[in-house]
Amino acid sequence: MNAKPTYEELEQKVALLSRKVNEQQAVENQYRNLVDSTSDSLYLVDSDCRYLFINQNHARRLKMPQNDVAGLSYKDIHSPEQNAKFELKIKSVYQTGQSAFDEHQSARDGRYFLRTFSPVRDSSSPEPIIAVAVVSKDITPRREAEEALRKSEEKYRQLIEYSSEAIFIIANGKIGFANSRTEKMLGYPLADLQAMPFIDLVIAEDREMIAERQQAVLQGTELSSNNHFRMVRKDESTIWVAANSVMMRWENASATLNFMRDITRQKKAEVRLLQAQKMESIGTLAGGIAHDFNNLLMGIQGHTSLALLNLRPGDPNCEHIRTIEKLVISGAGLTKQLLGFARGGKHEVKSVNLNDLIRQTSQTIGRTKKEIKIHHHLEDPLWPAEIDPEQIEQVLVNLFINASQAMPAGGDLHLETKNQVVDENHFKDYSGKGGRFVRVSVTDNGVGMDEKTRERIFEPFFTTKEMGRGTGLGLATVYGIIKNHNGFINVYSEKEHGSTFSIYLPASEKHAAKDRHSAGESAPEPSSGGETILVVDDEAMILDVAGEMLKMLNYRVITVPNGADAIDLYRREQKRVDLVVLDMVMPDMNGGDVFDAIREINPDVKVLLSSGYSLNGQAGKIMERGCSGFIQKPFTISDLAGKLRVVLEKPDPAAQCGSSKP
Ligand code: ADP
Ligand code: MG
């Protein structure tokens, strides 16, 4: 039973209630103070994005009194775009009951805000969510710091990415980081590089050295010099690199930071230069030896010729002496090989169609090696080339022999000619000039070569063939001859996949001579009209034997051992001397100077130049100055007889320049 409350009781209740209300007021004030003192914006919206409450800070930011905002919607004071974004977030909070976030840039002042959208619940309400509380925090300073960091990182990134060097970090033996140049240089994508030990990318021979150097760097040793070594790319090609490394910290451990440059081109050029220098000195040496040896052969040749003339036909010694002659000829062949790559062995140059030379030379191979099929791909018309046909024939023969030896069981030999304009930069490594060239390519499908072999093939005496089969002089000769012709050679070969040797010879401005020079033409009958011949040679042996030959041929002979005596004598006796046989290489005064001096005395003098070879193309130059003919040592008595008749019978000495055979 409820008794009516007394007045006191009521009074006490009222006091209690008003205390409670005051307490509540105090709590509410506390909350309001808290909400208004925060530097963040804070506001409540309902599901229609109507503002239920905003704190002072947000009102300030909106530049509106707190009370005016109540009743407005978000869309009333924001752009449609911003509104759409906002509504989406509110909807999501109502639907999921989960907080949401976004970053928002104010249209008013461009500042950045991090907004947190949180559901507001009230257990007394039938709705599960009665509002969304939005806290919006100004993150502009943080964003600016981030932006500055990003920009500076971008600068460093570009510095590394645009570097022409490969830059990478090796940690625990593996690449931890690499710029894109590293990927390009090695041909692997970064993910592959990161998966394999760095040392596996180095060629086997250089691995130990690289491992040691990496170790030294990790231990803090400063290695000053660049390190050169070879690496294998994904496509299995080898590149030369120059690298240096420094120690660094990477993910809390010691690592190395490495800078690496591709120096393959430079290395190749260095190797070629070294090769060229080596060839040059060997060429000089071989040329010197060959010159002396050739004079010796000349002596033997001369005496055997003379001995033969003294013997009755049918004498049993005839056979022996003929054999000696044959041996001299093969000896001369050898010196010719040596002279070929000695400098300046260009004897007689004319405009030649290389197609003709190739057809003729390849016929011989075709006849002797039936198991090899020869295919011609000859450009027509082919530019003529300014060459010594005999030497280029020697080049072709050497290339054909090598090709056929590379195909012991038979195969295909492709011979190609092509007119080609070479631009200067393309073959820069060969230090040649650009211009019009005739290219001759000799391709076989034989055993091919590995890189190690290919690097050495032009070295004199380098051979991979068994004793007796190879001398290692073939390609050295080819090299020397082509160089003397101001041409160059390009070799392409892979082991088991055949080889292509391409020689480039400068195209001639003149028209090609119709007939190529032919070796072994029959000599005219030895005969003489009793003319007087002046022989100039520094070798007593040559004077001796040439003198005897000439006497045999019914010429009158005067011999002198040097240039000064020759000029002296010619000045006194020029009426008597019909022809001068002049050695080109002599000490003190060489053949060229002597030639010029006696030409001063008599411009119509007939001179037959004689030499084993010409230093620096001297012979060619003397021929151009109007010399009557050229004879190559060692010569036989009938060679000499033939040459003399040709020169003596032609009235105008200049008319025969460049047309006589060495
Ligand atoms: P040789 O033939 O006497 O060995 P060369 O100077 O002609 O000397 O050649 C040198 C080396 O070059 C050969 O021993 C061979 O290893 C290599 N060579 C040359 N031509 C070819 C070719 N067409 N195919 C494969 N290897 C070749
Ligand atoms: Mg050879």
Side-chain angles (χ1 to χ4, degrees), residues 398 401-402 405 465 474:
N398 277 322
I401 290 174
N402 281 346
Q405 286 175 340
K465 291 164 194 171

Side-chain angles (χ1 to χ4, degrees), residues 282-335:
I282 291 181
T284 310
L285 177 72
I289 294 171
H291 173 248
D292 289 353
F293 189 68
N294 216 44
N295 279 337
L296 215 69
L297 288 176
M298 181 65 233
I300 300 171
Q301 173 68 70
H303 285 292
T304 47
S305 284
L306 292 168
L308 266 178
L309 289 175
N310 286 336
L311 289 177
R312 267 173 291 107
D315 190 302
N317 280 331
C318 278
E319 210 34 54
H320 294 307
I321 293 184
R322 290 232 166 75
T323 307
I324 295 174
E325 269 200 319
K326 272 189 208 134
L327 292 174
V328 168
I329 288 167
S330 48
L334 206 67
T335 53

Side-chain angles (χ1 to χ4, degrees), residues 410-431:
D412 293 295
L413 180 63
H414 293 270
L415 309 178
E416 190 192 352
T417 55
K418 199 116 196 111
N419 297 326
Q420 205 159 330
V421 175
V422 171
D423 86 84
E424 205 147 325
N425 296 323
H426 192 54
F427 286 103
K428 205 160 52 197
D429 293 354
Y430 298 93
S431 73

Side-chain angles (χ1 to χ4, degrees), residues 143-159:
R143 279 285 288 243
E144 278 168 356
E146 273 174 6
E147 182 65 12
L149 186 66
R150 198 189 59 74
K151 275 194 179 141
S152 116
E153 272 179 353
E154 177 65 15
K155 256 186 265 172
Y156 280 113
R157 200 187 66 81
Q158 287 186 342
L159 207 65

Side-chain angles (χ1 to χ4, degrees), residues 94-111:
Y94 270 97
Q95 276 169 1
T96 62
Q98 304 280 326
S99 294
F101 307 89
D102 75 358
E103 272 191 30
H104 159 77
Q105 187 177 18
S106 161
R108 258 173 274 273
D109 52 12
R111 296 184 77 82

Side-chain angles (χ1 to χ4, degrees), residues 196-403:
M196 67 178 94
F198 174 75
I199 206 80
D200 286 1
L201 294 160
V202 178
I203 74 158
E205 291 109 294
D206 294 344
R207 273 183 202 160
E208 203 181 312
M209 182 250 303
I210 297 303
E212 270 172 22
R213 283 182 75 106
Q214 282 288 324
Q215 208 49 46
V217 172
L218 283 174
Q219 279 158 10
T221 313
E222 253 184 55
L223 302 174
S224 54
S225 64
N226 255 336
N227 186 22
H228 293 188
F229 57 97
R230 280 159 294 171
M231 298 191 76
V232 184
R233 303 184 74 240
K234 189 176 185 182
D235 63 12
E236 290 182 355
S237 61
T238 303
I239 54 167
W240 271 101
V241 295
N244 60 57
S245 314
V246 289
M247 187 174 67
M248 70 174 304
R249 297 289 295 175
W250 171 258
E251 289 172 352
N252 286 326
S254 292
T256 61
L257 174 61
N258 302 271
F259 302 86
M260 196 165 86
R261 218 156 20 91
D262 185 339
I263 54 162
T264 311
R265 256 188 93 89
Q266 178 191 333
K267 273 280 173 193
K268 281 194 173 150
E270 268 173 30
V271 166
R272 249 192 292 264
L273 184 67
L274 214 67
Q275 179 92 348
Q277 283 167 347
K278 193 155 67 181
M279 299 291 289
E280 189 136 327
S281 46
I282 291 181
T284 310
L285 177 72
I289 294 171
H291 173 248
D292 289 353
F293 189 68
N294 216 44
N295 279 337
L296 215 69
L297 288 176
M298 181 65 233
I300 300 171
Q301 173 68 70
H303 285 292
T304 47
S305 284
L306 292 168
L308 266 178
L309 289 175
N310 286 336
L311 289 177
R312 267 173 291 107
D315 190 302
N317 280 331
C318 278
E319 210 34 54
H320 294 307
I321 293 184
R322 290 232 166 75
T323 307
I324 295 174
E325 269 200 319
K326 272 189 208 134
L327 292 174
V328 168
I329 288 167
S330 48
L334 206 67
T335 53
K336 212 181 250 181
Q337 282 263 59
L338 288 172
L339 290 172
F341 79 88
R343 297 193 298 136
K346 206 154 58 163
H347 295 302
E348 234 182 292
V349 167
K350 47 176 120 171
S351 242
V352 169
N353 183 337
L354 280 162
N355 284 349
D356 298 342
L357 192 59
I358 285 167
R359 277 197 207 94
Q360 287 171 35
T361 314
S362 62
Q363 256 175 21
T364 331
I365 288 283
R367 270 199 296 270
T368 51
K369 305 259 176 199
K370 292 271 183 250
E371 66 281 9
I372 288 172
K373 263 188 89 174
I374 299 179
H375 310 265
H376 290 102
H377 316 272
L378 307 179
E379 173 142 10
D380 191 26
L382 187 68
W383 293 332
E386 198 75 356
I387 59 161
D388 179 328
E390 203 173 321
Q391 287 197 340
I392 297 301
E393 182 179 313
Q394 203 182 332
V395 166
L396 293 174
V397 168
N398 277 322
L399 294 180
F400 295 167
I401 290 174
N402 281 346

Side-chain angles (χ1 to χ4, degrees), residues 520-526 636 638-643:
E521 69 203 51
S522 60
E525 276 298 294
T636 64
S638 65
D639 285 341
L640 182 62
K643 281 280 159 172

